[in-house]
């Protein structure tokens, strides 16, 4: 069964080579796709060199910074076109430990359509400022209550998708950017009736490089939650399937 790990990068020169090395040491059979947004620190050059050395390392080098959601969309499209059975997404800063990948794949092989590496389902977070920790916890709880989703960590960026499920969700209307993209993906999987599982992880805040998270990301999350609820009410009122063209609902 073919597996690919998708890693977006922007100024991750201090992390990306070590991360790729650790993944390949644990899982030499896994392919790795790095999507770089023309990092000023030259992260993409490191990946280019590694891709010349290893046949299972790939790079999509983009002309400028297009954002996290855009990177994952492009990565998903690339993986689905190449018929990978399992698609994993993770951060480049070692906040997501490669050792959890096998547990995620086991869940997916056992029938889960989406496996989330969860901080809030018996997992935990380390090396994060108290304010950011509280913001993340509050955003997840608010989203769960508002949207009715059972998963506990909707904003986690460490995930494993089963190909067939991702193909269906990928064809949906996905509007959000940056970190709100994570919530929208879980919401769409849940609305379509796919099986969502979580595994506990220890999330460790980055030790090298600069975080891409911002106050703007938080604002977008809360705006998105309300849009989801209006969208759901629209389809209920119109007696229209949520799976049909969401172009009828203007975001």
């Amino acid at each position: 069964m073919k597996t690919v790990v998708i890693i977006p990068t922007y100024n991750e020169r201090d992390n990306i080579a070590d991360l790729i090395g650790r993944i390949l040491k644990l899982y030499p059979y896994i392919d790795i796709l790095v999507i770089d947004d023309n990092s000023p620190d030259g992260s993409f050059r490191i990946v280019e060199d590694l891709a010349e050395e290893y046949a299972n390392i790939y790079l999509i080098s983009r002309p400028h910074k297009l954002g996290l959601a855009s990177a994952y969309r492009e990565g998903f499209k690339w993986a689905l076109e190449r018929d990978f059975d399992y698609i994993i997404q993770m951060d480049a800063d070692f906040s997501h430990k490669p050792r959890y990948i096998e547990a995620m794949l086991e869940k997916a092989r056992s029938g889960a359509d989406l496996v989330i590496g969860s901080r809030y389902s018996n997992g935990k977070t380390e090396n994060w400022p108290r304010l950011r920790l509280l913001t993340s916890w509050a955003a997840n709880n608010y989203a769960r209550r508002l949207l009715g989703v059972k998963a506990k960590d909707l904003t986690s960026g460490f995930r494993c998708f089963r190909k067939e499920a991702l193909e269906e969700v990928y064809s949906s209307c996905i509007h959000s950017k940056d970190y709100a993209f994570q919530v929208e993906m879980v919401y769409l999987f849940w609305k379509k009736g796919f099986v969502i599982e979580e595994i506990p992880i220890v999330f460790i805040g980055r030790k090298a490089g600069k975080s891409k998270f911002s106050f703007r990301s938080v604002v977008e999350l809360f705006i998105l939650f309300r849009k989801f609820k209006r969208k759901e009410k629209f389809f209920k009122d119109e007696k229209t399937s949520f799976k049909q063209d969401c172009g009828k609902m203007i975001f």
Side-chain angles (χ1 to χ4, degrees), residues 18 21 23 37 41 47-48 53 71 85 92 98 114 117 172 186 196 209 219 251:
D18 287 343
I23 294 173
D37 279 359
D41 72 352
V47 182
E48 284 176 343
E53 183 177 355
D85 300 288
L114 166 60
S172 301
V186 178
I196 302 173
V219 173
F251 275 72

Side-chain angles (χ1 to χ4, degrees), residues 1-6 23-24 26-32 83-90 97-118 158-164 195 197-201:
M1 306 292 275
K2 294 171 58 180
T3 302
V4 63
V5 176
I6 299 173
I23 294 173
L24 292 182
L26 291 170
Y27 317 102
Y29 56 89
I30 283 181
D31 287 356
I32 298 172
D83 206 31
F84 282 93
D85 300 288
Y86 301 108
I87 297 96
I88 295 169
Q89 66 171 64
M90 66 186 300
K97 298 302 183 185
R99 68 173 181 266
Y100 295 116
I101 289 176
E102 183 56 38
M104 300 175 86
L105 287 171
E106 287 180 6
K107 284 278 189 182
R109 294 180 190 123
S110 298
D113 298 301
L114 166 60
V115 183
I116 300 172
S118 177
F158 198 10
R159 300 175 176 184
C160 176
F161 303 93
R162 189 175 61 84
K163 175 186 67 177
E164 292 80 6
V195 177
E197 299 279 358
E198 293 179 274
I199 64 163
I201 66 166

Side-chain angles (χ1 to χ4, degrees), residues 7-53:
I7 308 172
T9 56
Y10 187 76
N11 287 343
E12 296 291 353
R13 182 183 183 87
D14 295 334
N15 297 308
I16 190 60
D18 287 343
L19 178 61
I20 289 175
R22 293 192 194 186
I23 294 173
L24 292 182
K25 184 177 180 180
L26 291 170
Y27 317 102
Y29 56 89
I30 283 181
D31 287 356
I32 298 172
L33 170 65
V34 176
I35 303 172
D36 186 84
D37 279 359
N38 197 23
S39 296
D41 72 352
S43 300
F44 59 91
R45 294 191 181 94
I46 294 174
V47 182
E48 284 176 343
D49 291 342
L50 289 170
E52 289 183 4
E53 183 177 355

Side-chain angles (χ1 to χ4, degrees), residues 55-102:
N56 57 338
I57 297 177
Y58 303 89
L59 171 68
I60 294 177
S61 189
R62 308 200 297 178
H64 54 85
K65 191 174 183 180
L66 297 171
L68 185 70
S70 171
Y72 278 130
R73 286 193 193 98
E74 190 160 347
F76 293 158
K77 181 176 183 291
W78 184 95
L80 292 172
E81 287 176 347
R82 287 157 181 80
D83 206 31
F84 282 93
D85 300 288
Y86 301 108
I87 297 96
I88 295 169
Q89 66 171 64
M90 66 186 300
D91 292 346
D93 61 2
F94 280 102
S95 56
H96 302 146
K97 298 302 183 185
R99 68 173 181 266
Y100 295 116
I101 289 176
E102 183 56 38

Side-chain angles (χ1 to χ4, degrees), residues 110-165:
S110 298
D113 298 301
L114 166 60
V115 183
I116 300 172
S118 177
R119 299 159 291 180
Y120 305 120
S121 182
N122 298 316
K124 63 178 181 179
T125 300
E126 297 179 354
N127 197 39
W128 249 17
R130 184 180 296 272
L131 178 60
R132 185 166 180 189
L133 183 61
L134 290 173
T135 300
S136 174
W137 179 85
N140 272 282
N141 275 275
Y142 180 74
R144 287 173 55 220
R145 292 174 183 275
L146 184 69
L147 304 176
V149 180
K150 302 302 181 184
K152 293 183 178 180
D153 196 342
L154 277 67
T155 58
S156 171
F158 198 10
R159 300 175 176 184
C160 176
F161 303 93
R162 189 175 61 84
K163 175 186 67 177
E164 292 80 6

Side-chain angles (χ1 to χ4, degrees), residues 148-186:
V149 180
K150 302 302 181 184
K152 293 183 178 180
D153 196 342
L154 277 67
T155 58
S156 171
F158 198 10
R159 300 175 176 184
C160 176
F161 303 93
R162 189 175 61 84
K163 175 186 67 177
E164 292 80 6
L166 182 60
E167 282 178 328
E168 185 171 339
V169 171
Y170 183 80
S171 66
S172 301
C173 297
I174 302 173
H175 297 267
S176 53
K177 302 176 181 179
D178 297 328
Y179 293 90
F181 174 79
Q182 313 289 19
V183 178
E184 185 171 12
M185 288 294 290
V186 178

